[in-house]
Amino acid sequence: MLYTQRMNIHNPKNLDRILLLTTWVRIVEAGSLSAAAKQLKTTQPTVSRRLQSLEQIFKCKLMLRTTHQLKLTDEGDTCYQYAKQLLEQWSILEDTVGSDTAIIKGRLRVRAPHAFGQQQLIKPLMEYLTIYPEMRIDWLLNDTSPDFLADNIDCAIHVGAITNPNVVAKLIGYVPRIIVAAPEVIKKYGDIKNISELQQWPWIAVSTFYNHELVLKNTLSNELSVLGLDPILSTDNLYSALECIKGGLGIGAISSWLVKPYLLTSQLVHIAENWQADPLPVYFVYPYSNYYSKRLRLFMEIMTKGIQQMIGIDQNDDHIKM
């Protein structure tokens, strides 16, 4: 510590080179100095000074600034490629040299769906931060596919099919979906004799997963039925759909974990009980890498258990082991 304090901080060669390389990688992947500063929780002038220090060390320009974008020089591209490798090796060194009782610290940026992330996953999230108090988490809630490089996302929790082939996707489990309605809606439309009759009922569609068509499967006979729908409301927000269904506006196919409390209090009723929409897969998604940090692996382990408990599945099921 005394040696560090006595260093000439104005000499770029004495600066924390890991920090400089980390900043450079963030600039390249974020696409701008301001975006990099936001992700690094610092200011744009600080990022700019680090860039200048790195350029002084290498005695060359690493990037050229134009009106609309940043363009890497050949030296800048080479620096980026080697910096990625060096930072990865540094992570391996930290995890390898550190003992099992070594302090887990650092920052993770995690993207989670609104429905899971704003309430149901808070308990395992708090558990992780309680066990590892030196960790810092950026908990980002949205339902879009993440840009891992540009947004500096370490991992994402994703519900539904994986459409990006350039990521690693680890299956956590499946979320059953059932058809529910408020009691007054059932009273108004009466009992159904054929599943196709539900096409005439007012529907609230969760547009992320279904809109004008919903495929149902009979859990007893495995018979399939395709319903053509004209929803009175389509929304990409699961909670908005739930509130409209609870309010008697229409019926919908909703994740069973979300509606369970309202079924117990009879605010909602499970209709066509033998028919279900295909269950939705839940994945941990993250970019390809030769090595994943211990802090990330521990995070996924704790969150996986929390998610599996939430959706009510057997953690020993061979089909969903990580």
Side-chain angles (χ1 to χ4, degrees):
M1 179 63 71
L2 291 176
Y3 173 74
T4 303
Q5 292 175 342
R6 291 170 182 168
M7 288 169 55
N8 178 7
I9 62 173
H10 299 292
N11 184 348
K13 291 187 177 181
N14 291 333
L15 295 177
D16 183 342
R17 298 192 180 192
I18 294 295
L19 178 61
L20 296 183
L21 292 177
T22 300
T23 301
W24 173 240
V25 169
R26 279 291 86 236
I27 292 172
V28 175
E29 295 182 349
S32 71
L33 272 66
S34 58
K38 184 177 180 180
Q39 293 176 9
L40 292 169
K41 307 294 184 182
T42 187
T43 64
Q44 183 172 336
T46 297
V47 170
S48 181
R49 285 194 295 270
R50 292 176 187 173
L51 172 59
Q52 292 172 12
S53 296
L54 199 59
E55 290 179 328
Q56 289 178 37
I57 290 174
F58 293 124
K59 296 182 173 58
C60 66
K61 294 291 291 183
L62 298 177
M63 68 190 328
L64 303 174
R65 304 188 195 188
T66 65
T67 305
H68 302 292
Q69 64 180 0
L70 300 176
K71 182 179 180 181
L72 302 190
T73 63
D74 290 343
E75 293 82 0
D77 183 64
T78 299
C79 180
Y80 168 71
Q81 300 299 333
Y82 276 100
K84 288 278 287 185
Q85 296 177 29
L86 286 169
L87 292 175
E88 183 176 282
Q89 291 299 315
W90 180 257
S91 294
I92 296 173
L93 178 61
E94 284 185 315
D95 288 349
T96 302
V97 174
S99 66
D100 290 339
T101 59
I103 295 176
I104 302 298
K105 60 182 180 179
R107 181 178 297 275
L108 291 175
R109 285 174 60 84
V110 182
R111 196 229 68 180
H114 274 111
F116 278 0
Q118 69 186 42
Q119 186 176 8
Q120 278 69 27
L121 295 186
I122 295 302
K123 184 177 179 180
L125 177 64
M126 291 176 61
E127 178 184 352
Y128 177 80
L129 290 172
T130 300
I131 296 174
Y132 307 110
E134 295 297 314
M135 280 300 304
R136 300 294 181 264
I137 301 288
D138 292 338
W139 190 240
L140 311 171
L141 302 185
N142 65 71
D143 298 306
T144 60
S145 297
D147 187 330
F148 288 101
L149 292 182
D151 299 331
N152 190 26
I153 303 296
D154 292 288
C155 69
I157 300 164
H158 180 82
V159 179
I162 301 297
T163 58
N164 183 355
N166 300 314
V167 297
V168 179
K170 293 291 186 181
L171 181 64
I172 301 173
Y174 292 93
V175 178
R177 290 184 293 165
I178 61 176
I179 304 173
V180 294
E184 58 265 33
V185 174
I186 296 175
K187 183 178 180 180
K188 179 179 179 180
Y189 287 90
D191 295 330
I192 61 170
K193 297 179 181 180
N194 189 294
I195 192 65
S196 62
E197 295 175 23
L198 286 182
Q199 295 176 121
Q200 307 307 317
W201 290 40
W203 277 83
I204 308 299
V206 183
S207 58
T208 311
F209 306 115
Y210 72 96
N211 202 339
H212 296 291
E213 181 179 281
L214 180 65
V215 180
L216 299 177
K217 183 177 182 179
N218 190 298
T219 57
L220 299 178
S221 65
N222 289 329
E223 177 187 356
L224 295 179
S225 179
V226 181
L227 302 184
L229 308 179
D230 182 20
I232 60 175
L233 175 70
S234 295
T235 175
D236 62 356
N237 185 278
L238 193 58
Y239 281 109
S240 295
L242 175 62
E243 289 302 312
C244 289
I245 295 170
K246 286 167 53 184
L249 186 62
I251 67 175
I254 299 291
S255 301
S256 59
W257 65 267
L258 184 59
V259 299
K260 182 178 180 180
Y262 307 104
L263 295 174
L264 294 174
T265 59
S266 299
Q267 287 179 269
L268 291 176
V269 178
H270 184 183
I271 60 178
E273 293 188 13
N274 293 334
W275 294 88
Q276 292 186 5
D278 285 339
L280 298 173
V282 183
Y283 295 94
F284 256 120
V285 185
Y286 43 93
Y288 283 101
S289 177
N290 292 325
Y291 183 79
Y292 299 102
S293 66
K294 189 173 183 179
R295 59 179 175 268
L296 176 60
R297 287 182 275 124
L298 290 170
F299 175 81
M300 292 196 294
E301 179 180 314
I302 290 176
M303 295 302 293
T304 294
K305 292 180 181 177
I307 293 172
Q308 291 177 346
Q309 291 173 359
M310 179 192 71
I311 61 182
I313 63 174
D314 183 0
Q315 296 176 28
N316 296 316
D317 189 335
D318 290 335
H319 296 293
I320 57 169
K321 286 184 178 179
M322 296 291 285

